[in-house]
């Protein structure tokens, strides 16, 4: 026991010494190379003023890097597919858990509509203020988590999640293909996007529509993940 | 005295150094946890800390305190004097993806525990021989 | 002032991260891990990135904690 404690102490001190060395090397090497001018960022900022969207991050996520975002929600879909494959039990026996608290039940009934409304607001106003589809989808999933914790027999129907997710994925690709047909670029902005309308709710062409679609997809996938993680151990 | 320290800390190069050294220290602490802790939840937690430190480094390395957030608000009419929006967009999606992959790893750990009742990663050696 | 805020938050983050990793009880460790998410939110907002701060506030200190607590519940259910 004594030997083990001494060994751990020397391990920690050696690790601290190595950390100081590595940090010194980083400090010397990167001292002058960090303060660079962001030329690519400035170019994208100059370009994003043509799209009529007030939030430049939204323009980069949905429009300039729109194809990457399609790939990333595909990664999210594959992760939730793996979780469903591992954890989901189709022959689940419902009920027979311990009753949840009275206060939790009442608060969940009161809070769930507000959380849902807040998530939809974050999703729809993603092109005007900080927020967007990713954040709004996760907020909606946390509302679903509140319902799952409080209620005994609440269960997100599998068919609803499948329909929402399929609809969102297909319409993302479909809007991109319409842009390819009309403007010769995938995800081309074919709806009117006047710069004088910047800051209004209806502005920016297809960008808010695509962010809402991303929000639906992220929300349904996160709800699926949360539900499977929560209900795994209860029906063995 | 306090004013001197505050104005020293407000220089651009000092802020860059704080960001660099702080995020790299967080990365090394995550590595420390990965090497010394043996419970599977602690291992996943160390990986999450390392991920978080990389996000902080990515955003902080393009920070300039004279610029504003890349959103047009009251008073701004042009996209100039703004921080670089590209790292923001990349990290925004990386956080969500990282959480989903963490949930996938946790679900693997849960299933493994249901089969073998082992949470110590030193004893996970079924594939050894 | 901004430099002081960044320095202070980084020191707090490092202390909280080390404390979260060396705790004996896993519950304490998970709650301290939530503190790392909150510190990251402060830093992202200071770095002029409110979008990333919103995402980290929802995920880093909300859903991640839920995932770890659920894992703890499952890993202790049969002992």
């Amino acid at each position: 026991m004594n030997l083990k404690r001494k060994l751990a102490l020397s391990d920690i001190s050696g690790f601290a010494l190595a950390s100081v060395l590595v940090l010194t090397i980083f400090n010397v090497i990167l001292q002058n190379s960090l303060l660079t001018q962001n030329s690519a960022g400035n170019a994208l900022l100059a370009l994003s003023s043509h799209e009529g969207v007030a939030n430049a991050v939204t323009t980069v996520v949905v429009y300039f890097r729109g194809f990457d975002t399609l790939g990333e929600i595909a990664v999210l879909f594959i992760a939730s597919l793996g979780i469903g494959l591992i954890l989901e039990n189709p022959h689940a026996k419902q009920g027979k858990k311990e009753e949840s608290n009275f206060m939790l039940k009442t608060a969940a009934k009161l809070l769930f509509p507000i959380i849902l409304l807040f998530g939809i607001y974050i999703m729809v106003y993603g092109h005007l203020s900080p927020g967007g589809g990713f954040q709004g989808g996760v907020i909606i999933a946390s509302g679903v988590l509140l319902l799952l914790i409080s209620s005994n027999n609440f269960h997100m129907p599998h068919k609803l999640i499948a329909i929402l997710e399929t609809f969102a994925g297909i319409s993302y690709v479909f809007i991109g293909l319409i842009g390819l047909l009309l403007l010769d670029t995938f995800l081309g902005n074919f709806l009117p996007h006047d710069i004088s309308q910047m800051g209004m709710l209806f502005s920016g062409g297809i960008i808010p529509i695509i962010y809402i679609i991303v929000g639906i997809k992220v929300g349904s996938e996160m709800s699926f993940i949360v539900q499977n993680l929560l209900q795994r151990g209860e029906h063995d | 005295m306090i004013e001197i320290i505050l104005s020293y800390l407000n220089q651009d190069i000092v802020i860059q150094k704080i960001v660099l050294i702080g995020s790299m220290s967080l990365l090394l602490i995550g590595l420390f946890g990965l090497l010394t802790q043996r419970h599977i939840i602690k291992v996943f937690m160390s990986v999450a800390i390392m991920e978080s430190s990389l996000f902080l480094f990515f955003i902080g390395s393009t920070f300039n305190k004279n610029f504003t957030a890349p959103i047009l608000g009251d008073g701004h009419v042009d996209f100039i004097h703004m921080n670089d929006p590209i790292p923001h967009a990349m990290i925004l999606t990386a956080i969500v993806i990282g959480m989903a992959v963490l949930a996938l790893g946790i679900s693997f750990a849960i299933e493994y525990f249901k089969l073998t009742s082992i949470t110590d990663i030193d004893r996970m050696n079924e594939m050894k021989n | 002032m901004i430099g002081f805020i960044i320095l202070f938050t980084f020191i707090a983050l490092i202390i909280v991260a080390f404390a979260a990793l060396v705790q004996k009880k896993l519950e304490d460790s998970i709650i301290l891990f939530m503190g790392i998410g909150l510190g990251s939110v402060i830093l992202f907002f200071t770095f002029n990135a409110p979008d990333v701060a919103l995402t980290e506030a929802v995920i880093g200190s909300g859903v991640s904690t839920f995932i770890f607590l659920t894992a703890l519940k499952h890993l202790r259910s049969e002992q």
Side-chain angles (χ1 to χ4, degrees):
Chain A
M1 189 62 203
N2 201 7
L3 182 71
K4 210 172 185 179
R5 183 166 295 167
K6 262 184 197 168
L7 198 67
L9 195 64
S10 73
D11 270 356
I12 290 176
S13 56
F15 193 83
L17 196 65
S19 310
V20 170
L21 273 178
V22 170
L23 286 179
T24 317
I25 294 170
F26 269 131
N27 196 5
V28 170
I29 291 175
L30 295 176
Q31 191 165 20
N32 296 316
S33 62
L34 270 179
L35 283 169
T36 49
Q37 294 298 315
N38 48 350
S39 54
N42 282 338
L44 275 192
L45 279 176
L47 269 178
S48 67
S49 62
H50 298 295
E51 299 302 323
V53 168
N55 190 346
V57 180
T58 299
T59 319
V60 174
V61 169
V62 177
Y63 191 65
F64 297 127
R65 297 183 72 238
F67 200 62
D68 298 338
T69 305
L70 184 59
E72 274 166 5
I73 59 174
V75 172
L76 204 60
F77 170 68
I78 291 169
S80 74
L81 188 71
I83 290 172
L85 200 65
I86 294 169
L87 292 184
E88 194 175 36
N89 190 356
H91 311 293
K93 276 175 278 176
Q94 284 302 314
K96 287 306 117 228
K97 335 174 209 179
E98 51 196 82
E99 192 86 353
S100 55
N101 201 344
F102 165 73
M103 284 200 289
L104 185 60
K105 275 190 213 165
T106 314
K109 261 183 218 158
L110 192 67
L111 279 179
F112 178 70
I114 301 174
I115 294 177
L116 194 66
L117 187 68
F118 182 60
I120 291 173
Y121 168 77
I122 291 279
M123 241 157 73
V124 173
Y125 278 73
H127 60 303
L128 302 177
S129 59
F134 286 102
Q135 294 95 325
V138 184
I139 289 172
I140 288 176
S142 67
V144 172
L145 167 66
L146 187 62
L147 275 192
L148 281 172
I149 289 175
S150 69
S151 167
N152 241 353
N153 44 16
F154 177 76
H155 192 259
M156 284 282 285
H158 195 285
K159 201 159 264 182
L160 174 69
I161 292 178
I163 287 174
L164 279 179
E165 203 163 323
T166 319
F167 163 74
I170 287 177
S171 48
Y172 195 122
V173 179
F174 190 65
I175 289 176
L177 286 181
I178 291 177
L180 185 64
L181 281 181
L182 294 180
L183 294 175
D184 289 339
T185 48
F186 188 73
L187 285 173
N189 200 346
F190 57 88
L191 287 177
H193 49 281
D194 209 2
I195 301 179
S196 61
Q197 296 293 103
M198 187 186 289
M200 303 289 187
L201 182 57
F202 294 101
S203 65
I206 64 165
I207 291 175
I209 298 174
I210 285 184
Y211 226 6
I212 291 172
I213 287 171
V214 170
I216 292 171
K217 198 163 167 59
V218 171
S220 52
E221 275 159 3
M222 284 295 159
S223 310
F224 185 70
I225 289 175
V226 160
Q227 173 173 338
N228 276 326
L229 274 177
L230 197 60
Q231 297 185 341
R232 164 63 182 84
E234 286 156 1
H235 39 67
D236 270 336
Chain B
M1 187 62 199
I2 294 175
E3 281 83 11
I4 296 173
I5 295 176
L6 285 186
S7 63
Y8 173 73
L9 287 177
N10 261 347
Q11 296 166 2
D12 279 337
I13 184 73
V14 178
I15 288 179
Q16 296 287 338
K17 274 188 191 177
I18 292 171
V19 169
L20 175 69
I21 294 178
S23 55
M24 285 304 149
S25 315
L26 264 182
L27 185 79
L28 289 173
I29 283 176
L31 189 64
F32 167 76
L34 203 61
L35 291 178
T36 56
Q37 305 292 323
R38 294 282 74 121
H39 198 281
I40 184 104
I41 290 183
K42 288 280 185 67
V43 171
F44 279 121
M45 200 175 285
S46 312
V47 175
I49 289 173
M50 289 169 80
E51 227 179 70
S52 178
S53 81
L54 286 185
F55 297 156
L56 283 172
F57 177 65
F58 222 88
I59 302 259
S61 63
T62 56
F63 170 62
N64 192 333
K65 71 178 185 328
N66 300 316
F67 291 176
T68 62
I71 296 168
L72 281 193
D74 304 327
H76 290 282
V77 288
D78 255 334
F79 285 97
I80 51 170
H81 299 306
M82 285 179 171
N83 269 288
D84 196 351
I86 303 174
H88 300 184
M90 293 174 74
I91 299 305
L92 182 67
T93 49
I95 290 175
V96 182
I97 301 285
M99 195 221 88
V101 174
L102 177 75
L104 183 61
I106 288 285
S107 68
F108 273 117
I110 291 170
E111 278 304 303
Y112 187 84
F113 179 77
K114 295 287 178 198
L115 289 176
T116 61
S117 303
I118 291 175
T119 57
D120 194 346
I121 63 167
D122 276 342
R123 290 171 57 208
M124 296 183 180
N125 50 9
E126 280 84 17
M127 304 273 284
K128 216 171 181 178
N129 298 316
Chain C
M1 199 60 203
I2 272 184
F4 177 71
I5 293 173
I6 293 172
L7 178 67
F8 182 78
T9 320
F10 260 121
I11 292 173
L13 265 184
I14 289 167
I15 293 172
V16 170
F18 189 74
L21 284 179
V22 297
Q23 288 293 325
K24 283 276 194 305
K25 283 178 69 178
L26 281 171
E27 290 91 345
D28 299 351
S29 178
I30 290 168
I31 297 301
L32 281 172
F33 179 76
M34 198 170 159
I36 297 173
L38 288 177
S40 300
V41 172
I42 297 173
L43 275 178
F44 284 139
F45 195 77
T46 317
F47 290 153
N48 285 338
D51 292 86
V52 190
L54 191 53
T55 316
E56 180 74 23
V58 178
I59 286 180
S61 55
V63 185
S64 293
T65 315
F66 161 72
I67 288 176
F68 278 124
L69 282 176
T70 317
L72 194 61
K73 187 189 103 186
H74 286 318
L75 294 192
R76 284 198 177 151
S77 60
E78 288 182 4
Q79 279 176 358

